[in-house]
Amino acid sequence: MRPSPTSVSRPARILVAGAACAALAALSACSGGGSAPHPTGEALASKAPARPQRQAFDALPGMPPVLDPKDVYAADRPGRLSDTVKDFPSRVYVPNTNSNTVTVIDPGTYKVMETIPVGRQPQHVVPSWDLKTLWVNNDLGNSLTPIDPRTGKAGKPVDVHDPYNLYFTPDGRYAVVMASKDRQLVFRDAHTMERVKTVPVGCAGVNHADFSADGRYFIVSCEFSGELLKVDTAAMKVVGQQKLAFRGAMPQDVKMSPDGKRFYVADMVANGLWILDGGTFGKPEFLYTGKGAHGLYVSRDSRRMYVSNRGEGTISVYDFARHKLTGKWRLPHGGSPDMGGVSADGKVLWLSGRYNSEVYAIDTGTGRQLARIKVGSGPHGLAVYPQPGRYSLGHTGVFR
């Protein structure tokens, strides 16, 4: 998110009308969790073999089989590193948007190891679908800088216009560039980054997304026009668009619930979460979390989600099963918690301090700040790497 923090009054804790997620066929929704009762999902409860699971989800062809139909994050358990990344050194990569650098931190010592020069205005550090490369999104530099996570060395930048953020289709075929200023979703070859298809959008500021459980569609936030998009993955086509019911809404991060029934969208002006059924794409509900709600991160046991409230220096803890907030952690001496990720063992939440040139390490068991580390100016979409999971859907690390 580019603009400076916006101060607005706290909206009423009203749930905007929205249809409850019911249809099992609409299961492919992302991170949501409205106040409507959870569907029973009995058809999904059994430990079915791989083939029936694929049929039930009618998954995107080429997408790896769903491990657990009740939990899309089943592959993200503590320490469950794939063979591809198990020998990679554990690091925290911090893109500094104003310094045009990436700070590399050793999470074991909380010490800065090195600073890597990259292109102009790096926004996010994004793990590739195959987990082998970290892509630095140099937004104003119109390039992607590859970093080898095995050696920590940066490679030759690849020309890509306006790469504010980057995602990968669940089948691993395409990278999806969130070209915010260009008002485009650009589908590119996931390996060469050659352009395949450009999809103009009728909203301003496409920035974050997440894919449905079956991989057949994804929900996109448009921060500058306060809108959401629904995009058909295979057709590479926008199939739904809606305006959020809050004046000046500024949607940010998007995340799917573990059971795949809902999407959650952080809003830094409405100060909370929009919660919707991605299948029906009906009007979402709203849950207040705190001023400047921005980043969303799922715990390693899939029970909780951490919400960074950038405007007040807090992190809200959301319980998926209970559909309620169960805690709020306040950073000592304030701060501006933004984007980040959870450590491989699930014990530490790492967040960039966007307006304080620092990074925070937070104990996920107690909410206690473990470290506050100085970095470059404007730290944004930091990546904790490696993390558990079979493949990456992009952003700072959405793994399944």
Side-chain angles (χ1 to χ4, degrees), residues 5 71 89 327 394:
D71 185 0

Side-chain angles (χ1 to χ4, degrees), residues 357-368:
S357 300
E358 58 194 10
V359 165
Y360 315 112
I362 302 159
D363 187 311
T364 57
T366 66
R368 181 173 65 91

Side-chain angles (χ1 to χ4, degrees), residues 1-4 6 123-124 139 164-165 178-181 203-208 220-229 243-244 246-254 265-270 293-294 310 338-339 354-355 380:
M1 151 71 209
R2 295 192 191 88
S4 59
T6 307
Q123 295 284 0
H124 303 91
D139 191 19
Y164 177 75
N165 209 345
M178 299 286 146
S180 179
K181 296 187 303 297
C203 67
V206 288
N207 63 359
H208 297 91
V220 178
S221 60
C222 303
E223 63 175 319
F224 297 129
S225 58
E227 296 176 271
L228 301 178
L229 304 177
K243 182 83 172 177
L244 292 170
F246 186 85
R247 184 179 179 84
M250 192 171 280
Q252 304 296 312
D253 204 1
V254 182
V265 183
D267 192 319
M268 66 173 290
V269 170
H294 199 80
R310 192 174 74 183
D338 196 284
M339 292 290 174
R354 187 67 179 276
Y355 300 108
H380 191 196

Side-chain angles (χ1 to χ4, degrees), residues 271-273 287-291 293 307 309 312 314 316 325 328:
N271 300 328
L273 302 177
L287 176 67
Y288 177 86
T289 63
K291 184 178 178 182
V307 184
N309 302 309
E312 64 180 32
T314 68
S316 294
L325 298 177
K328 179 176 280 192

Side-chain angles (χ1 to χ4, degrees), residues 126-384:
V126 179
S128 62
W129 185 91
D130 63 10
L131 310 178
K132 296 178 180 179
T133 304
L134 296 174
W135 291 103
V136 183
N137 300 176
N138 305 313
D139 191 19
L140 296 185
N142 296 315
S143 67
L144 298 175
T145 298
I147 293 178
D148 183 342
R150 184 181 300 276
T151 65
K153 302 301 182 184
K156 182 181 178 180
V158 177
D159 292 337
V160 170
H161 200 267
D162 189 23
Y164 177 75
N165 209 345
L166 183 67
Y167 290 84
F168 294 92
T169 57
D171 58 7
R173 294 185 65 187
Y174 304 113
V176 185
V177 175
M178 299 286 146
S180 179
K181 296 187 303 297
D182 293 344
R183 295 196 177 199
Q184 297 173 345
L185 299 176
V186 184
F187 288 77
R188 294 176 174 271
D189 182 279
H191 302 285
T192 67
M193 292 298 167
E194 290 294 323
R195 186 186 296 255
V196 175
K197 183 177 181 180
T198 298
V199 182
V201 297
C203 67
V206 288
N207 63 359
H208 297 91
D210 200 3
F211 288 83
S212 60
D214 60 13
R216 290 191 172 273
Y217 70 88
F218 55 101
I219 301 298
V220 178
S221 60
C222 303
E223 63 175 319
F224 297 129
S225 58
E227 296 176 271
L228 301 178
L229 304 177
K230 181 177 181 178
V231 182
D232 185 301
T233 307
M236 302 184 218
K237 178 183 178 181
V238 176
V239 294
Q241 181 169 346
Q242 65 167 288
K243 182 83 172 177
L244 292 170
F246 186 85
R247 184 179 179 84
M250 192 171 280
Q252 304 296 312
D253 204 1
V254 182
K255 201 68 85 254
M256 185 172 66
S257 61
D259 61 11
K261 296 174 182 177
R262 296 174 176 86
F263 286 85
Y264 300 86
V265 183
D267 192 319
M268 66 173 290
V269 170
N271 300 328
L273 302 177
W274 297 101
I275 305 169
L276 76 155
D277 177 342
T280 64
F281 200 58
K283 293 298 180 183
E285 303 170 349
F286 184 79
L287 176 67
Y288 177 86
T289 63
K291 184 178 178 182
H294 199 80
L296 305 175
Y297 306 98
V298 178
S299 64
R300 289 272 169 248
D301 59 8
S302 302
R303 295 179 180 178
R304 302 186 295 174
M305 182 169 65
Y306 311 113
V307 184
S308 61
N309 302 309
R310 192 174 74 183
E312 64 180 32
T314 68
I315 295 90
S316 294
V317 182
Y318 175 84
D319 186 293
F320 287 112
R322 298 164 66 187
H323 179 48
K324 64 182 294 186
L325 298 177
T326 56
K328 179 176 280 192
W329 305 332
R330 187 169 300 275
L331 293 172
H333 313 298
S336 50
D338 196 284
M339 292 290 174
V342 179
S343 62
D345 61 9
K347 295 180 179 179
V348 182
L349 173 65
W350 288 86
L351 296 171
S352 59
R354 187 67 179 276
Y355 300 108
N356 299 82
S357 300
E358 58 194 10
V359 165
Y360 315 112
I362 302 159
D363 187 311
T364 57
T366 66
R368 181 173 65 91
Q369 178 181 289
L370 300 172
R372 184 178 288 230
I373 305 161
K374 297 302 293 185
V375 293
S377 177
H380 191 196
L382 74 77
V384 180

Side-chain angles (χ1 to χ4, degrees), residues 84-151:
T84 302
V85 305
K86 66 181 181 180
D87 295 325
F88 291 177
S90 181
R91 300 287 183 264
V92 177
Y93 298 86
V94 189
N96 304 302
T97 58
N98 301 326
S99 299
N100 302 326
T101 60
V102 171
T103 299
V104 183
I105 298 171
D106 181 341
T109 63
Y110 305 123
K111 301 294 185 183
V112 172
M113 298 186 64
E114 64 177 315
T115 301
I116 303 173
V118 292
R120 186 179 173 197
Q121 200 180 79
Q123 295 284 0
H124 303 91
V125 176
V126 179
S128 62
W129 185 91
D130 63 10
L131 310 178
K132 296 178 180 179
T133 304
L134 296 174
W135 291 103
V136 183
N137 300 176
N138 305 313
D139 191 19
L140 296 185
N142 296 315
S143 67
L144 298 175
T145 298
I147 293 178
D148 183 342
R150 184 181 300 276
T151 65

